[in-house]
Amino acid sequence: MELTPAFSGLVCTDCGSNFTVDVDQRCPDCEGVLEPTYEYDSVTPADLFDGGTTTGQWRFDALLPFGRDSAVTAAEGETPLVAADRLVDELGVGEVYIKDEGRNPTGTVYDRGMSLAVTALSDHDDPDSLEPLALASTGNSGQSAAAYVGRLGLRSYAFVPSRSAFSNKAMINVHGGQMRVVGGRYADAASAVDDQLATDYYSLQEFTTPYRHEGAKTVAFELYADLDELPDVVFIPTSTGELVAGIAKGFEELTEIGATEETPTIVAVQPTSCGPIAAAFDRGLDEPEPWAHPDTIIGELEVTDPAGGAEAVDALRRLDGAAVTVDDSDSLESATAIAQHEVIEMGAAGGAAAAGAWNWQEADQFSGDETVVLLNTESAVKTPDVLRSHLMGQGV
Ligand SMILES: [Zn+2]
């Protein structure tokens, strides 16, 4: 694939070694996470935002590793930023928008990073040698991986826990991916990848490929492009850490190229019953401790030992962010209320963003004139059963 002019390779975030794109998993020296880097002095805001006629996130390829002409893409990104005026009064803030990532090709924000991760493989000398490609997933990223790897015609495996949503399992197969359903929870699926694949494989796991969190940063670019300025507070449903780390990097890059001077407040929202990143942030730890007894009905957010936990905590500290935990019932209530009043089909995981904003309102954390963004990370069609059963539990 074509590398972009400003891209200057991958750097290990642990030992500082530099690598070309030929080394595109963890650091071969120390197993650290590799981070794409750029010559920011060579990129202007006009370079980043004058994207021509390209549809989707690849219009921002001035700050992506690969050029739009070589992208493996289904026009992911460029999702609507929808004004939610009723919530303005309810939250007591200036403006509220829902960034609806449910409208990505496979209904998830993870399509952004998967498009980058698969593009990295698109002109490989010997593509068959990459097989199988594999990852563990709570569901959405496995579905996305099956879809994008299908564009290369290669074999992929998604390891999902038995509790993963039926729609995810079905669509992994519909997209042509292989699936292993692992009894138990996400941690069981994660450990099954090495146990069950008796061969080398190419990992599409977040923070093993350097590109999945890199794709998430285009959310930050789009928020700036749509609002002509940055929002003040962004609520992000948080599981693996890749969205917090990626979106924070995007905001920081806008300051690096001189588009803005400040970054928004990022609020990581996790379930009360599985909040390792929030706990680490609140306790001043550099890295989350694995959550021992998870118990959330929102399977997408049940990641007990997040691969990007340290990166997410670090990003929250750099950007003077915050972390909150919310009860499942509040997340589901928020998602159904938004479906009933704001049209948008907010997934169960997305509902956590709105519940987090309510948490802030109740704690008197808003000053009253903020522009607030709620990141809806997935479409409600992923988990209509979970949302409907919440209503039935209310006697509806
Ligand atoms: Zn290293």
Side-chain angles (χ1 to χ4, degrees), residues 12 15 27 30:
C12 174
C15 73
C27 173
C30 77

Side-chain angles (χ1 to χ4, degrees), residues 122-145:
S122 60
D123 71 347
H124 197 276
D125 292 340
D126 182 11
D128 292 347
S129 69
L130 297 166
E131 291 185 312
L133 295 91
L135 77 167
S137 171
T138 48
N140 286 345
S141 60
Q143 179 180 338
S144 180

Side-chain angles (χ1 to χ4, degrees), residues 270-341:
Q270 296 205 281
T272 309
S273 50
C274 185
I277 290 173
F281 181 75
D282 287 343
R283 293 168 59 196
L285 304 178
D286 291 337
E287 189 167 0
E289 295 177 345
W291 195 267
H293 301 293
D295 183 25
T296 170
I297 197 169
I298 304 172
E300 273 295 306
L301 298 182
E302 195 178 80
V303 175
T304 54
D305 190 9
E311 286 76 10
V313 169
D314 185 51
L316 292 174
R317 295 237 166 83
R318 290 198 314 271
L319 271 69
D320 200 18
V324 299
T325 56
V326 293
D327 292 343
D328 285 354
S329 58
D330 291 338
S331 295
L332 300 177
E333 183 66 26
S334 298
T336 53
I338 284 170
Q340 289 169 12
H341 301 303

Side-chain angles (χ1 to χ4, degrees), residues 170-193:
M171 291 309 294
I172 286 168
N173 288 147
V174 169
H175 283 297
Q178 308 279 323
M179 180 173 58
R180 296 279 176 89
V181 178
V182 181
R185 297 170 183 269
Y186 173 71
D188 301 299
S191 59
V193 182

Side-chain angles (χ1 to χ4, degrees), residues 129-174:
S129 69
L130 297 166
E131 291 185 312
L133 295 91
L135 77 167
S137 171
T138 48
N140 286 345
S141 60
Q143 179 180 338
S144 180
Y148 283 84
V149 173
R151 284 284 297 268
L152 299 185
L154 297 176
R155 187 161 48 98
S156 69
Y157 281 95
F159 286 72
V160 299
S162 46
R163 65 163 308 178
S164 181
F166 170 77
S167 64
N168 288 139
K169 294 175 187 163
M171 291 309 294
I172 286 168
N173 288 147
V174 169

